[in-house]
């Protein structure tokens, strides 16, 4: 049986203002803060995880809190993050809500055969709400300010910008076993966007690659995406991907224990950082599901340094 990724696992972006980030994603977007922890490679920075009511894989939007300037937009980057909603009526509800909150947003339009609505957070992080009226059921958060029927279902599709697709496509298809399933005109510029699907496909399992050779190279900062992660069901599947990358002589991090999941990192040919992550054990491994995100969580290998780590972090209300 051919090894398959099953969809988007999480997406990690960059903020320079953790307090405002927390306010926007929980109060405006209505997501649940499911884990308040630190960047395991830079413990002076928060790593905040927002997700659905049950912290399901495929719903995690996460942020590193770094004191950096704004990103320089361009190619060689993840250029837009998709968020799925249940219906056109929900998309219309979000159009009105974003206007009420004075959030920078576009108009509802068709992109690749689906109704969508683009918007940005205060740091310029770019999103696209996309109607997904099939797929996995929503798992709403009961304490969200957004009504259950209008809550964000999860991630996807994710859009990359590359100047040349040839080597990227080879990795996506030949190494990562994605299928090229569609092409459509770039709604934000010249050229085409190529759709690659994982597993059973659908918006939760799509990577859209825009070919934009006339753009400058992006430079990461606040408002940028750091990396995108794809789903592997378990550690056995991750071991298989580790061996597969080795067989293709594609450099990788090797497997990394993140406690909440296990990961494997590598860069595709245009330099965009990819991660393959296991679905489990999940965020309830060290705190009750009912109180996720309410206190600072540290994996066991950082727990002995808790006092030192907490002393360097800004309090979050």
């Amino acid at each position: 049986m051919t090894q398959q990724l099953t969809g988007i696992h999480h997406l990690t972006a960059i903020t320079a203002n953790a307090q405002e980030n927390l306010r926007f994603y929980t109060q405006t977007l209505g997501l649940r803060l499911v884990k308040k922890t630190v960047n395991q490679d830079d413990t002076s920075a928060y790593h905040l995880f927002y997700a659905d009511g049950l912290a399901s894989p495929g719903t995690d939007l996460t942020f590193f809190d770094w004191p950096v300037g704004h990103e320089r937009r361009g190619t060689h980057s993840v250029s837009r993050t998709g968020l799925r909603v249940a219906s056109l009526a929900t998309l219309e509800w979000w159009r009105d809500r974003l206007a009420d909150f004075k959030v920078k947003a576009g108009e509802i339009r068709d992109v690749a055969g689906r109704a969508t609505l683009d918007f940005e957070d205060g740091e310029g992080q770019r999103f696209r709400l996309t109607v997904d009226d099939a797929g996995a059921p929503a798992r709403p958060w009961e304490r969200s300010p957004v009504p259950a029927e209008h809550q964000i279902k999860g991630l996807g599709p994710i859009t990359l910008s590359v100047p040349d697709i040839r080597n990227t496509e080879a990795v996506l298809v030949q190494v990562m076993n994605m299928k090229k399933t569609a092409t459509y005109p770039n709604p934000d510029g010249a050229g085409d966007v190529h759709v690659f699907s994982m597993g059973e496909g659908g918006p939760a399992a799509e990577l859209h690659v825009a070919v934009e050779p006339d753009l400058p190279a992006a430079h990461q900062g606040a408002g940028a995406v750091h990396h995108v992660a794809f789903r592997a069901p378990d550690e056995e599947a991750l071991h298989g991907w580790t061996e597969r990358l080795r067989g293709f002589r594609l450099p990788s991090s090797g497997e990394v224990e993140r406690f909440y999941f296990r990961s494997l990192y590598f860069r595709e040919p245009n330099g965009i950082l990819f991660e393959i992550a296991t679905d489990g054990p999940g965020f309830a491994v060290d705190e009750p599901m009912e109180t996720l995100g309410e206190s600072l969580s540290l994996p066991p290998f950082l727990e002995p340094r808790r006092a030192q780590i907490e002393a360097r972090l800004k309090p979050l209300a």
Side-chain angles (χ1 to χ4, degrees):
M1 179 174 157
T2 303
Q3 192 159 2
Q4 293 288 328
L5 300 164
T6 58
I8 306 298
H9 186 281
H10 69 268
L11 180 135
T12 296
I14 301 168
T15 179
N17 187 338
Q19 184 63 64
E20 174 57 22
N21 184 271
L22 178 63
R23 185 206 64 78
F24 181 83
Y25 288 93
T26 59
Q27 297 181 29
T28 303
L29 294 192
L31 298 171
R32 183 182 184 187
L33 179 67
V34 297
K35 190 62 61 178
K36 180 169 65 173
T37 184
V38 294
N39 181 324
Q40 294 177 9
D41 304 311
D42 173 15
T43 59
S44 68
Y46 280 113
H47 193 179
L48 304 177
F49 290 77
Y50 306 101
D52 68 5
L54 295 181
S56 310
T59 72
D60 303 328
L61 179 60
T62 95
F63 287 87
F64 296 145
D65 172 39
W66 283 330
V68 293
H70 285 287
E71 74 158 330
R72 182 182 68 203
R73 291 181 177 179
T75 191
H76 298 281
S77 68
V78 179
S79 57
R80 193 171 292 276
T81 301
L83 300 172
R84 296 175 292 111
V85 295
S87 66
L88 178 59
T90 289
L91 206 61
E92 293 168 342
W93 184 91
W94 275 105
R95 177 193 58 199
D96 296 343
R97 179 175 178 82
L98 295 175
D100 289 344
F101 279 83
K102 296 181 171 52
V103 174
K104 182 178 180 180
E107 298 295 329
I108 293 175
R109 60 178 176 170
D110 182 283
V111 175
R114 301 183 184 115
T116 69
L117 176 65
D118 292 354
F119 72 96
E120 298 180 10
D121 75 3
E123 293 180 297
Q125 193 72 234
R126 289 171 283 177
F127 293 98
R128 175 168 292 152
L129 292 171
T130 297
V131 171
D132 174 19
D133 53 9
R139 299 174 178 86
W141 177 36
E142 61 183 14
R143 290 160 55 192
S144 173
V146 174
E149 66 272 20
H150 295 319
Q151 287 184 32
I152 291 166
K153 293 176 66 175
L155 289 166
I158 306 299
T159 302
L160 312 184
S161 172
V162 301
D164 187 324
I165 197 173
R166 287 172 293 181
N167 290 336
T168 295
E169 180 171 345
V171 167
L172 296 181
V173 174
Q174 297 173 28
V175 180
M176 300 176 73
N177 288 330
M178 298 187 192
K179 294 180 180 178
K180 189 172 180 179
T181 52
T183 303
Y184 63 92
N186 189 340
D188 301 317
D192 289 331
V193 180
H194 303 261
V195 179
F196 298 86
S197 296
M198 294 163 269
E200 297 179 359
E206 286 180 359
L207 198 62
H208 292 200
V209 184
V211 183
E212 299 178 306
D214 296 330
L215 294 182
H219 181 76
Q220 286 188 342
V225 172
H226 187 269
H227 67 269
V228 59
F230 307 100
R231 293 177 66 181
D234 50 37
E235 287 194 29
E236 182 179 356
L238 188 67
H239 298 335
W241 286 109
T242 302
E243 292 303 314
R244 187 169 180 83
L245 294 184
R246 185 177 293 123
F248 278 91
R249 298 186 178 180
L250 194 61
S252 79
S253 63
E255 294 180 28
V256 181
E257 178 57 66
R258 295 302 190 193
F259 186 55
Y260 308 110
F261 43 84
R262 193 169 177 84
S263 296
L264 172 68
Y265 299 87
F266 62 100
R267 292 189 184 273
E268 58 78 45
N270 278 288
I272 300 168
L273 184 60
F274 283 176
E275 175 183 354
I276 299 175
T278 59
D279 280 353
F283 295 116
V285 69
D286 62 349
E287 56 183 344
M289 179 64 70
E290 295 75 20
T291 57
L292 289 181
E294 294 182 8
S295 59
L296 182 70
S297 293
L298 296 175
F301 48 86
L302 291 179
E303 190 61 47
R305 297 168 52 197
R306 175 175 286 272
Q308 174 192 355
I309 290 171
E310 288 186 329
R312 299 174 67 191
L313 295 172
K314 301 181 293 277
L316 282 181

